[in-house]
C-alpha cells in the first residue's frame, strides 16, 4: 500500500470496512432467511404428510436452502476479500508509540485482526449447522416418502369409533 500519511490510509480503510460490514450483514440476513425457510419446510412437510406433496415440499425447501447457502458463501467470500488490506491499513496507521500504548498484557497486537482463520471465527460450525438442516430435510423427505410418518394417521382412522347409526338393531 503506497499511502504516505494517515489520511490516505483512513480514506482507504473507511470504504473497505463499510464493504466488510455490509457483506457481513448480508451474510447473516441470508442465514436468518435459511432458518425461516427451514421452519416453513418442516411445518409444510408435516402438514402435508398424508399426501405426496409433503415430501416434495421438503425437497423443495432443501433446494432453496442450498441456493441460499451458495449466496451465503458468495457474501462471505466478498466480505473476506480485503481482510489483509484492512489489517495492513491499521498496522501502518499506528505508530510504534500508539501500538505500545494500546498493547495489553501478553498481547502481540493492539487490535483484533480480521483475517484470522475461519475455524477461529466459528464459520465452519455455522456451515455444518446449515448443512445439517439440508441432511435433516432429506431424512424427513425420505420418511414422508416411505409413509413411516403417515402410519399414525392410518391407525387413528382405523381405531376411531364406528358409526353405529347405520348398524341395524337385532
Amino acid at each position: 500500500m503506497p499511502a504516505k500519511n494517515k489520511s490516505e490510509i483512513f480514506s482507504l480503510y473507511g470504504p473497505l470496512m463499510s464493504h466488510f460490514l455490509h457483506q457481513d450483514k448480508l451474510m447473516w440476513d441470508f442465514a436468518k432467511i435459511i432458518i425461516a425457510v427451514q421452519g416453513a419446510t418442516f411445518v409444510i412437510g408435516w402438514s402435508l404428510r398424508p399426501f405426496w406433496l409433503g415430501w416434495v415440499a421438503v425437497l423443495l425447501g432443501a433446494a432453496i436452502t442450498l441456493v441460499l447457502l451458495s449466496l451465503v458463501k458468495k457474501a462471505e467470500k466478498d466480505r473476506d476479500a480485503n481482510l489483509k488490506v484492512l489489517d495492513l491499513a491499521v498496522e501502518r496507521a499506528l505508530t510504534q508509540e500508539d501500538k505500545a500504548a494500546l498493547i495489553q498484557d501478553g498481547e502481540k497486537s493492539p487490535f483484533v485482526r480480521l483475517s484470522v482463520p475461519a475455524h477461529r471465527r466459528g464459520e465452519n460450525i455455522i456451515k455444518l449447522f446449515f448443512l445439517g438442516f439440508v441432511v435433516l430435510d432429506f431424512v424427513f423427505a425420505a420418511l414422508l416418502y416411505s409413509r413411516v410418518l403417515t402410519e399414525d394417521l392410518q391407525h387413528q382412522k382405523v381405531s376411531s369409533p364406528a358409526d353405529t347409526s347405520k348398524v341395524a338393531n337385532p
Side-chain angles (χ1 to χ4, degrees), residues 114-155:
L114 296 172
S115 60
V116 295
H119 67 277
R120 291 190 48 208
R121 290 190 305 244
E123 292 170 6
N124 294 338
I125 294 171
I126 294 169
K127 290 174 193 167
L128 286 174
F129 181 73
F130 288 129
L131 287 175
F133 269 150
V134 173
V135 169
L136 190 60
D137 283 344
F138 285 117
V139 169
F140 190 43
L143 290 173
L144 289 175
Y145 181 74
S146 66
R147 303 279 187 191
V148 169
L149 297 177
T150 58
E151 288 177 3
D152 64 332
L153 291 176
Q154 293 169 353
H155 289 295

Short mmCIF file of all heavy atoms in Angstrom, two decimals, residues 114-155:
data_model
loop_
_atom_site.label_atom_id
_atom_site.label_comp_id
_atom_site.label_asym_id
_atom_site.label_seq_id
_atom_site.Cartn_x
_atom_site.Cartn_y
_atom_site.Cartn_z
N LEU A 114 -8.81 -9.03 11.59
CA LEU A 114 -9.99 -9.57 10.92
C LEU A 114 -9.65 -10.81 10.11
O LEU A 114 -10.51 -11.61 9.79
CB LEU A 114 -10.60 -8.51 10.01
CG LEU A 114 -11.14 -7.28 10.72
CD1 LEU A 114 -11.54 -6.23 9.69
CD2 LEU A 114 -12.32 -7.64 11.58
N SER A 115 -8.39 -10.97 9.76
CA SER A 115 -8.00 -12.06 8.87
C SER A 115 -7.59 -13.32 9.63
O SER A 115 -6.69 -14.02 9.21
CB SER A 115 -6.88 -11.61 7.93
OG SER A 115 -5.76 -11.22 8.69
N VAL A 116 -8.27 -13.61 10.74
CA VAL A 116 -8.00 -14.86 11.45
C VAL A 116 -8.63 -16.01 10.68
O VAL A 116 -9.56 -15.81 9.91
CB VAL A 116 -8.53 -14.81 12.91
CG1 VAL A 116 -7.80 -13.76 13.72
CG2 VAL A 116 -10.02 -14.59 12.94
N PRO A 117 -8.15 -17.24 10.88
CA PRO A 117 -8.71 -18.37 10.14
C PRO A 117 -10.19 -18.59 10.43
O PRO A 117 -10.69 -18.22 11.50
CB PRO A 117 -7.89 -19.56 10.65
CG PRO A 117 -6.65 -18.98 11.23
CD PRO A 117 -7.01 -17.61 11.70
N ALA A 118 -10.88 -19.19 9.48
CA ALA A 118 -12.33 -19.37 9.58
C ALA A 118 -12.73 -20.20 10.80
O ALA A 118 -13.75 -19.94 11.42
CB ALA A 118 -12.86 -20.04 8.31
N HIS A 119 -11.91 -21.20 11.16
CA HIS A 119 -12.29 -22.04 12.29
C HIS A 119 -12.25 -21.27 13.60
O HIS A 119 -12.94 -21.61 14.55
CB HIS A 119 -11.41 -23.29 12.37
CG HIS A 119 -9.98 -23.01 12.69
ND1 HIS A 119 -9.07 -22.64 11.73
CD2 HIS A 119 -9.32 -23.03 13.87
CE1 HIS A 119 -7.89 -22.45 12.31
NE2 HIS A 119 -8.01 -22.68 13.60
N ARG A 120 -11.49 -20.20 13.66
CA ARG A 120 -11.44 -19.38 14.87
C ARG A 120 -12.60 -18.40 14.93
O ARG A 120 -12.90 -17.86 15.98
CB ARG A 120 -10.11 -18.64 14.97
CG ARG A 120 -8.98 -19.62 15.23
CD ARG A 120 -7.68 -18.99 15.58
NE ARG A 120 -7.77 -17.97 16.60
CZ ARG A 120 -6.93 -16.95 16.67
NH1 ARG A 120 -5.95 -16.84 15.79
NH2 ARG A 120 -7.06 -16.06 17.62
N ARG A 121 -13.25 -18.13 13.79
CA ARG A 121 -14.41 -17.24 13.77
C ARG A 121 -15.71 -18.03 13.91
O ARG A 121 -16.79 -17.45 13.96
CB ARG A 121 -14.44 -16.44 12.47
CG ARG A 121 -13.34 -15.41 12.38
CD ARG A 121 -13.56 -14.50 11.20
NE ARG A 121 -13.71 -15.21 9.96
CZ ARG A 121 -12.88 -15.12 8.93
NH1 ARG A 121 -11.84 -14.34 9.01
NH2 ARG A 121 -13.09 -15.79 7.83
N GLY A 122 -15.66 -19.35 13.94
CA GLY A 122 -16.86 -20.16 14.10
C GLY A 122 -17.63 -20.38 12.82
O GLY A 122 -18.73 -20.92 12.85
N GLU A 123 -17.07 -20.01 11.67
CA GLU A 123 -17.81 -20.13 10.42
C GLU A 123 -18.03 -21.58 10.01
O GLU A 123 -19.04 -21.91 9.41
CB GLU A 123 -17.09 -19.37 9.32
CG GLU A 123 -17.12 -17.87 9.54
CD GLU A 123 -16.23 -17.12 8.59
OE1 GLU A 123 -15.66 -17.72 7.68
OE2 GLU A 123 -16.09 -15.90 8.78
N ASN A 124 -17.09 -22.45 10.35
CA ASN A 124 -17.26 -23.86 10.00
C ASN A 124 -18.42 -24.49 10.77
O ASN A 124 -19.15 -25.31 10.23
CB ASN A 124 -15.97 -24.63 10.25
CG ASN A 124 -14.86 -24.18 9.33
OD1 ASN A 124 -15.10 -23.62 8.27
ND2 ASN A 124 -13.62 -24.40 9.73
N ILE A 125 -18.61 -24.07 12.01
CA ILE A 125 -19.73 -24.58 12.79
C ILE A 125 -21.05 -24.15 12.17
O ILE A 125 -22.00 -24.92 12.09
CB ILE A 125 -19.61 -24.11 14.26
CG1 ILE A 125 -18.38 -24.75 14.90
CG2 ILE A 125 -20.87 -24.44 15.05
CD1 ILE A 125 -18.04 -24.20 16.25
N ILE A 126 -21.11 -22.90 11.73
CA ILE A 126 -22.33 -22.39 11.11
C ILE A 126 -22.63 -23.15 9.83
O ILE A 126 -23.78 -23.53 9.56
CB ILE A 126 -22.19 -20.88 10.83
CG1 ILE A 126 -22.11 -20.13 12.15
CG2 ILE A 126 -23.32 -20.35 9.98
CD1 ILE A 126 -21.71 -18.69 12.02
N LYS A 127 -21.61 -23.40 9.02
CA LYS A 127 -21.82 -24.16 7.78
C LYS A 127 -22.31 -25.57 8.08
O LYS A 127 -23.22 -26.07 7.41
CB LYS A 127 -20.54 -24.20 6.96
CG LYS A 127 -20.16 -22.88 6.36
CD LYS A 127 -18.82 -22.95 5.69
CE LYS A 127 -18.31 -21.57 5.38
NZ LYS A 127 -16.91 -21.55 5.00
N LEU A 128 -21.72 -26.21 9.06
CA LEU A 128 -22.17 -27.56 9.44
C LEU A 128 -23.61 -27.53 9.94
O LEU A 128 -24.38 -28.45 9.66
CB LEU A 128 -21.24 -28.15 10.50
CG LEU A 128 -19.87 -28.60 10.03
CD1 LEU A 128 -19.01 -29.02 11.22
CD2 LEU A 128 -20.00 -29.75 9.05
N PHE A 129 -23.96 -26.51 10.67
CA PHE A 129 -25.32 -26.36 11.18
C PHE A 129 -26.32 -26.30 10.03
O PHE A 129 -27.33 -27.01 10.03
CB PHE A 129 -25.39 -25.11 12.06
CG PHE A 129 -26.73 -24.86 12.67
CD1 PHE A 129 -27.20 -25.64 13.71
CD2 PHE A 129 -27.51 -23.82 12.21
CE1 PHE A 129 -28.43 -25.40 14.28
CE2 PHE A 129 -28.74 -23.56 12.77
CZ PHE A 129 -29.21 -24.35 13.81
N PHE A 130 -26.04 -25.45 9.04
CA PHE A 130 -26.98 -25.31 7.92
C PHE A 130 -26.96 -26.52 6.99
O PHE A 130 -27.99 -26.88 6.43
CB PHE A 130 -26.71 -24.01 7.17
CG PHE A 130 -27.13 -22.80 7.94
CD1 PHE A 130 -26.26 -21.75 8.12
CD2 PHE A 130 -28.39 -22.70 8.50
CE1 PHE A 130 -26.64 -20.63 8.85
CE2 PHE A 130 -28.77 -21.60 9.24
CZ PHE A 130 -27.90 -20.56 9.41
N LEU A 131 -25.81 -27.14 6.82
CA LEU A 131 -25.79 -28.38 6.04
C LEU A 131 -26.52 -29.49 6.78
O LEU A 131 -27.12 -30.37 6.16
CB LEU A 131 -24.35 -28.78 5.71
CG LEU A 131 -23.67 -27.91 4.65
CD1 LEU A 131 -22.21 -28.30 4.49
CD2 LEU A 131 -24.40 -27.99 3.32
N GLY A 132 -26.50 -29.44 8.10
CA GLY A 132 -27.29 -30.38 8.90
C GLY A 132 -28.77 -30.21 8.63
O GLY A 132 -29.53 -31.18 8.62
N PHE A 133 -29.21 -28.95 8.43
CA PHE A 133 -30.60 -28.70 8.04
C PHE A 133 -30.94 -29.43 6.75
O PHE A 133 -32.00 -30.05 6.62
CB PHE A 133 -30.85 -27.21 7.83
CG PHE A 133 -31.31 -26.46 9.04
CD1 PHE A 133 -30.98 -25.13 9.18
CD2 PHE A 133 -32.08 -27.05 10.02
CE1 PHE A 133 -31.41 -24.40 10.28
CE2 PHE A 133 -32.50 -26.35 11.12
CZ PHE A 133 -32.17 -25.02 11.25
N VAL A 134 -30.05 -29.36 5.77
CA VAL A 134 -30.30 -29.99 4.48
C VAL A 134 -30.37 -31.51 4.63
O VAL A 134 -31.25 -32.17 4.08
CB VAL A 134 -29.23 -29.57 3.45
CG1 VAL A 134 -29.37 -30.33 2.16
CG2 VAL A 134 -29.32 -28.07 3.19
N VAL A 135 -29.45 -32.07 5.41
CA VAL A 135 -29.47 -33.52 5.65
C VAL A 135 -30.78 -33.91 6.35
O VAL A 135 -31.42 -34.91 5.99
CB VAL A 135 -28.24 -33.95 6.48
CG1 VAL A 135 -28.37 -35.38 6.97
CG2 VAL A 135 -26.97 -33.76 5.67
N LEU A 136 -31.19 -33.12 7.33
CA LEU A 136 -32.45 -33.39 8.02
C LEU A 136 -33.62 -33.31 7.06
O LEU A 136 -34.57 -34.10 7.16
CB LEU A 136 -32.61 -32.40 9.17
CG LEU A 136 -33.74 -32.66 10.14
CD1 LEU A 136 -33.58 -34.01 10.83
CD2 LEU A 136 -33.80 -31.56 11.18
N ASP A 137 -33.57 -32.38 6.10
CA ASP A 137 -34.62 -32.29 5.08
C ASP A 137 -34.71 -33.58 4.28
O ASP A 137 -35.81 -34.10 4.04
CB ASP A 137 -34.35 -31.13 4.12
CG ASP A 137 -34.69 -29.78 4.70
OD1 ASP A 137 -35.41 -29.74 5.71
OD2 ASP A 137 -34.22 -28.78 4.14
N PHE A 138 -33.56 -34.11 3.87
CA PHE A 138 -33.58 -35.33 3.07
C PHE A 138 -34.08 -36.53 3.89
O PHE A 138 -34.83 -37.36 3.38
CB PHE A 138 -32.20 -35.62 2.48
CG PHE A 138 -31.86 -34.73 1.31
CD1 PHE A 138 -30.81 -33.85 1.37
CD2 PHE A 138 -32.62 -34.75 0.15
CE1 PHE A 138 -30.49 -33.02 0.32
CE2 PHE A 138 -32.33 -33.93 -0.92
CZ PHE A 138 -31.26 -33.06 -0.84
N VAL A 139 -33.70 -36.60 5.15
CA VAL A 139 -34.19 -37.69 6.01
C VAL A 139 -35.70 -37.56 6.20
O VAL A 139 -36.44 -38.54 6.10
CB VAL A 139 -33.44 -37.67 7.36
CG1 VAL A 139 -34.11 -38.60 8.36
CG2 VAL A 139 -31.99 -38.04 7.17
N PHE A 140 -36.16 -36.34 6.46
CA PHE A 140 -37.58 -36.09 6.64
C PHE A 140 -38.36 -36.43 5.37
O PHE A 140 -39.42 -37.07 5.42
CB PHE A 140 -37.78 -34.63 7.05
CG PHE A 140 -39.17 -34.28 7.49
CD1 PHE A 140 -39.90 -35.10 8.33
CD2 PHE A 140 -39.75 -33.09 7.09
CE1 PHE A 140 -41.18 -34.76 8.75
CE2 PHE A 140 -41.02 -32.74 7.49
CZ PHE A 140 -41.74 -33.58 8.33
N ALA A 141 -37.83 -36.03 4.22
CA ALA A 141 -38.49 -36.34 2.94
C ALA A 141 -38.52 -37.84 2.70
O ALA A 141 -39.53 -38.37 2.23
CB ALA A 141 -37.77 -35.63 1.79
N ALA A 142 -37.44 -38.54 3.04
CA ALA A 142 -37.42 -39.99 2.86
C ALA A 142 -38.45 -40.67 3.76
O ALA A 142 -39.14 -41.60 3.34
CB ALA A 142 -36.03 -40.54 3.15
N LEU A 143 -38.58 -40.18 4.99
CA LEU A 143 -39.59 -40.75 5.89
C LEU A 143 -40.99 -40.46 5.39
O LEU A 143 -41.88 -41.32 5.48
CB LEU A 143 -39.40 -40.20 7.30
CG LEU A 143 -38.16 -40.67 8.05
CD1 LEU A 143 -38.02 -39.92 9.37
CD2 LEU A 143 -38.21 -42.16 8.28
N LEU A 144 -41.21 -39.27 4.87
CA LEU A 144 -42.53 -38.95 4.31
C LEU A 144 -42.81 -39.79 3.08
O LEU A 144 -43.93 -40.27 2.88
CB LEU A 144 -42.62 -37.46 3.97
CG LEU A 144 -42.69 -36.50 5.14
CD1 LEU A 144 -42.64 -35.06 4.64
CD2 LEU A 144 -43.96 -36.72 5.94
N TYR A 145 -41.79 -39.97 2.24
CA TYR A 145 -41.97 -40.75 1.02
C TYR A 145 -42.27 -42.22 1.35
O TYR A 145 -43.10 -42.85 0.71
CB TYR A 145 -40.72 -40.65 0.15
CG TYR A 145 -40.84 -41.41 -1.14
CD1 TYR A 145 -41.62 -40.92 -2.18
CD2 TYR A 145 -40.17 -42.61 -1.33
CE1 TYR A 145 -41.74 -41.60 -3.37
CE2 TYR A 145 -40.28 -43.30 -2.52
CZ TYR A 145 -41.07 -42.79 -3.54
OH TYR A 145 -41.19 -43.47 -4.71
N SER A 146 -41.62 -42.74 2.37
CA SER A 146 -41.83 -44.15 2.73
C SER A 146 -43.08 -44.35 3.58
O SER A 146 -43.37 -45.46 3.98
CB SER A 146 -40.61 -44.68 3.46
OG SER A 146 -40.47 -44.03 4.71
N ARG A 147 -43.77 -43.28 3.87
CA ARG A 147 -45.02 -43.30 4.62
C ARG A 147 -44.86 -43.73 6.08
O ARG A 147 -45.83 -44.12 6.72
CB ARG A 147 -46.05 -44.22 3.94
CG ARG A 147 -46.36 -43.87 2.53
CD ARG A 147 -47.33 -42.77 2.49
NE ARG A 147 -47.74 -42.55 1.11
CZ ARG A 147 -48.41 -41.52 0.74
NH1 ARG A 147 -48.77 -40.64 1.61
NH2 ARG A 147 -48.73 -41.35 -0.51
N VAL A 148 -43.67 -43.69 6.62
CA VAL A 148 -43.46 -44.05 8.02
C VAL A 148 -44.20 -43.08 8.92
O VAL A 148 -44.82 -43.48 9.90
CB VAL A 148 -41.94 -44.06 8.36
CG1 VAL A 148 -41.71 -44.18 9.85
CG2 VAL A 148 -41.26 -45.18 7.61
N LEU A 149 -44.17 -41.80 8.60
CA LEU A 149 -44.81 -40.80 9.44
C LEU A 149 -46.31 -40.71 9.23
O LEU A 149 -47.00 -40.08 10.01
CB LEU A 149 -44.17 -39.43 9.19
CG LEU A 149 -42.70 -39.32 9.55
CD1 LEU A 149 -42.17 -37.95 9.19
CD2 LEU A 149 -42.49 -39.58 11.03
N THR A 150 -46.85 -41.33 8.21
CA THR A 150 -48.29 -41.28 7.98
C THR A 150 -49.00 -42.50 8.55
O THR A 150 -50.22 -42.55 8.54
CB THR A 150 -48.60 -41.18 6.47
OG1 THR A 150 -48.01 -42.29 5.79
CG2 THR A 150 -48.07 -39.88 5.91
N GLU A 151 -48.25 -43.48 9.06
CA GLU A 151 -48.88 -44.66 9.64
C GLU A 151 -49.72 -44.30 10.85
O GLU A 151 -50.76 -44.88 11.09
CB GLU A 151 -47.83 -45.70 10.02
CG GLU A 151 -47.20 -46.37 8.83
CD GLU A 151 -46.10 -47.35 9.22
OE1 GLU A 151 -45.89 -47.54 10.43
OE2 GLU A 151 -45.49 -47.91 8.31
N ASP A 152 -49.31 -43.30 11.64
CA ASP A 152 -50.09 -42.91 12.80
C ASP A 152 -51.44 -42.35 12.39
O ASP A 152 -52.44 -42.54 13.07
CB ASP A 152 -49.32 -41.91 13.67
CG ASP A 152 -49.05 -40.59 12.96
OD1 ASP A 152 -48.96 -40.61 11.72
OD2 ASP A 152 -48.93 -39.57 13.65
N LEU A 153 -51.51 -41.69 11.23
CA LEU A 153 -52.80 -41.20 10.74
C LEU A 153 -53.71 -42.35 10.34
O LEU A 153 -54.90 -42.32 10.59
CB LEU A 153 -52.59 -40.26 9.54
CG LEU A 153 -51.92 -38.92 9.84
CD1 LEU A 153 -51.71 -38.16 8.55
CD2 LEU A 153 -52.75 -38.12 10.81
N GLN A 154 -53.15 -43.38 9.74
CA GLN A 154 -53.95 -44.53 9.33
C GLN A 154 -54.46 -45.28 10.55
O GLN A 154 -55.59 -45.76 10.57
CB GLN A 154 -53.13 -45.43 8.42
CG GLN A 154 -52.81 -44.79 7.09
CD GLN A 154 -51.78 -45.58 6.30
OE1 GLN A 154 -51.22 -46.54 6.79
NE2 GLN A 154 -51.54 -45.14 5.08
N HIS A 155 -53.64 -45.40 11.60
CA HIS A 155 -54.08 -46.07 12.81
C HIS A 155 -55.18 -45.28 13.51
O HIS A 155 -56.09 -45.86 14.08
CB HIS A 155 -52.91 -46.26 13.78
CG HIS A 155 -51.92 -47.28 13.31
ND1 HIS A 155 -52.24 -48.61 13.19
CD2 HIS A 155 -50.63 -47.17 12.93
CE1 HIS A 155 -51.18 -49.28 12.75
NE2 HIS A 155 -50.18 -48.41 12.58
#
